[in-house]
Amino acid sequence: MINKPTIDEYNTYFSKYVDLVPEGDIFETLQQQNNETINLLKNLSETQGLYKYAPNKWSIKEVIGHLSDTERILSFTLLCIARGEAMSLHIYDKDAYIKNADFNRQSVKELLEDFSVVRQSTLQFIKTLTSEDLERKGTALGSEVTARALVFILAGHELHHFKILKEAYIGAEDFPL
């Protein structure tokens, strides 16, 4: 079992993600939340996938793409730190990634399949990590962070967006039916 990280294992900015992760088996949480996100979105029409709850917000398709991109980046960062990388890993510009990816041209189904595959890859990698791997610290996301904290940041990031998808998007009064 992977214990929740302590506040000294990550920048306090990421508390907004780590604090969302429930107590219990993080591996089960990651699997369950992926299933919940896919179940929430799998029956959306392409029109619904293009919905934005405000003009300056991402579409649902862009949010799904962002989840996949961020999972890839955090998983890569997790790999680097777990393996003892000494170099500082950069912070990415999420808005540039959204702009350049053009997620709106992909189907909801394709985006969800990609997200599921990325999560399965992340889960498979996490299974291989030892306690020593998880305790390693590196510099990423603008500060020192442990590999263990990255696992929880990753889970909390999806929980954060799941809540937004459920409430601000699908729960919006003007959401297309």
Side-chain angles (χ1 to χ4, degrees):
M1 173 127 153
I2 301 173
N3 294 322
K4 208 167 192 175
T6 58
I7 193 70
D8 63 330
E9 293 182 55
Y10 55 92
N11 186 308
T12 55
Y13 169 83
F14 295 104
S15 293
K16 69 181 183 177
Y17 298 137
V18 175
D19 292 347
L20 291 175
V21 180
E23 295 298 326
D25 186 335
I26 187 63
F27 193 83
E28 286 180 22
T29 298
L30 286 163
Q31 184 63 58
Q32 178 184 358
Q33 73 181 141
N34 185 249
N35 293 339
E36 289 173 358
T37 298
I38 289 169
N39 285 334
L40 177 69
L41 304 173
K42 70 181 179 186
N43 294 319
L44 293 181
S45 69
E46 294 306 305
T47 300
Q48 290 170 322
L50 295 171
Y51 175 77
K52 298 178 178 187
Y53 69 89
N56 61 339
K57 298 297 180 181
W58 297 335
S59 70
I60 291 175
K61 288 182 175 189
E62 290 170 325
V63 173
I64 300 167
H66 167 71
L67 287 169
S68 295
D69 278 357
T70 301
E71 180 113 0
R72 282 183 173 97
I73 290 164
L74 289 176
S75 291
F76 173 73
T77 305
L78 172 61
L79 167 70
C80 292
I81 290 174
R83 299 295 192 250
E85 178 63 58
M87 300 269 307
S88 177
L89 301 162
H90 76 284
I91 298 173
Y92 78 108
D93 180 348
K94 63 185 184 282
D95 292 314
Y97 277 53
I98 294 290
K99 179 183 172 194
N100 292 321
D102 194 16
F103 292 119
N104 287 328
R105 70 174 166 71
Q106 296 179 47
S107 72
V108 172
K109 182 180 178 187
E110 289 169 329
L111 290 163
L112 290 174
E113 285 174 356
D114 183 59
F115 181 54
S116 180
V117 168
V118 172
R119 175 55 57 92
Q120 291 311 311
S121 176
T122 300
L123 288 168
Q124 188 60 39
F125 176 64
I126 292 169
K127 280 185 194 178
T128 71
L129 298 176
T130 66
S131 296
E132 185 177 277
D133 295 334
L134 291 163
E135 291 172 14
R136 284 197 183 99
K137 274 191 176 180
T139 304
L141 311 173
S143 62
E144 270 201 339
V145 63
T146 63
R148 176 176 51 201
L150 285 166
V151 172
F152 283 79
I153 291 167
L154 200 149
H157 178 259
E158 183 181 350
L159 290 166
H160 167 77
H161 284 288
F162 179 85
K163 183 177 185 208
I164 293 169
L165 284 164
K166 195 172 181 181
E167 295 173 5
Y169 286 87
I170 295 171
E173 286 183 22
D174 64 340
F175 185 72
L177 299 175

